[in-house]
Amino acid sequence: MTDAMTADEFAQLERYTRFWNTGPGEERDRLASVVFTGEVEYRALVGFLRGAAALADFRDQFVSHVGPARVRRREEPEVHHGRARLRWEILTGAGMSFATGTDVIEFDEGGRIRAVSAFLDRAPEGFDPTAHD
């Protein structure tokens, strides 16, 4: 880390991971309000989402489909010039690895996340990328 903004960005990445690991309720709403801009954009093979509510709904649909799951960082994120690369892994409730990926994250001037491009490094078994928008 080279400056205060980078320290803030690392803290945002911690909150970002907690957001994905938090179910519906006040805590997730609080996290969303400090982590994301109002019109955050999320791009992944499964589609394009806009707004924290859409991300929360995506997480809830995922958990309803595969069961309990949590996101963990695979290594320390890299941050520079208002962007970050965060490598993650999704673990099922049984602790089995479901998938791995990399998020490229863009921060706004205030340090909130305005855009995420999510890439799969190892797709889940049976994943068909052509089955999504």
Side-chain angles (χ1 to χ4, degrees):
M1 285 184 277
T2 58
D3 58 31
M5 186 59 171
T6 303
D8 290 344
E9 290 164 340
F10 273 94
Q12 282 295 64
L13 294 173
E14 281 294 319
R15 288 186 284 270
Y16 174 73
T17 303
R18 281 199 327 256
F19 170 85
W20 287 114
N21 290 326
T22 303
E26 289 181 24
E27 175 61 10
R28 185 171 68 190
D29 293 344
R30 185 194 67 75
L31 284 167
S33 71
V34 297
V35 171
F36 301 113
T37 62
E39 292 295 314
V40 62
E41 295 181 349
Y42 182 87
R43 290 172 171 84
L45 284 173
V46 296
F48 173 79
L49 306 171
R50 178 171 282 139
L55 274 66
D57 185 57
F58 173 64
R59 183 257 180 214
D60 295 344
Q61 287 181 37
F62 176 83
V63 171
S64 74
H65 180 69
V66 302
R70 72 179 177 88
V71 175
R72 74 166 188 92
R73 292 188 331 212
R74 292 188 286 154
E75 58 190 55
E76 192 68 21
E78 297 171 275
V79 176
H80 66 81
H81 298 95
R83 294 192 172 46
R85 179 169 62 176
L86 186 141
R87 292 184 170 111
W88 49 262
E89 177 177 33
I90 298 173
L91 301 172
T92 64
M96 301 296 294
S97 181
F98 179 80
T100 61
T102 301
D103 286 356
V104 177
I105 296 168
E106 181 181 341
F107 300 95
D108 74 359
E109 302 76 26
R112 294 193 313 160
I113 295 172
R114 75 167 131 215
V116 178
S117 295
F119 295 88
L120 284 173
D121 299 335
R122 182 180 46 79
E125 187 175 320
F127 179 76
D128 179 4
T130 63
H132 303 282
D133 295 337

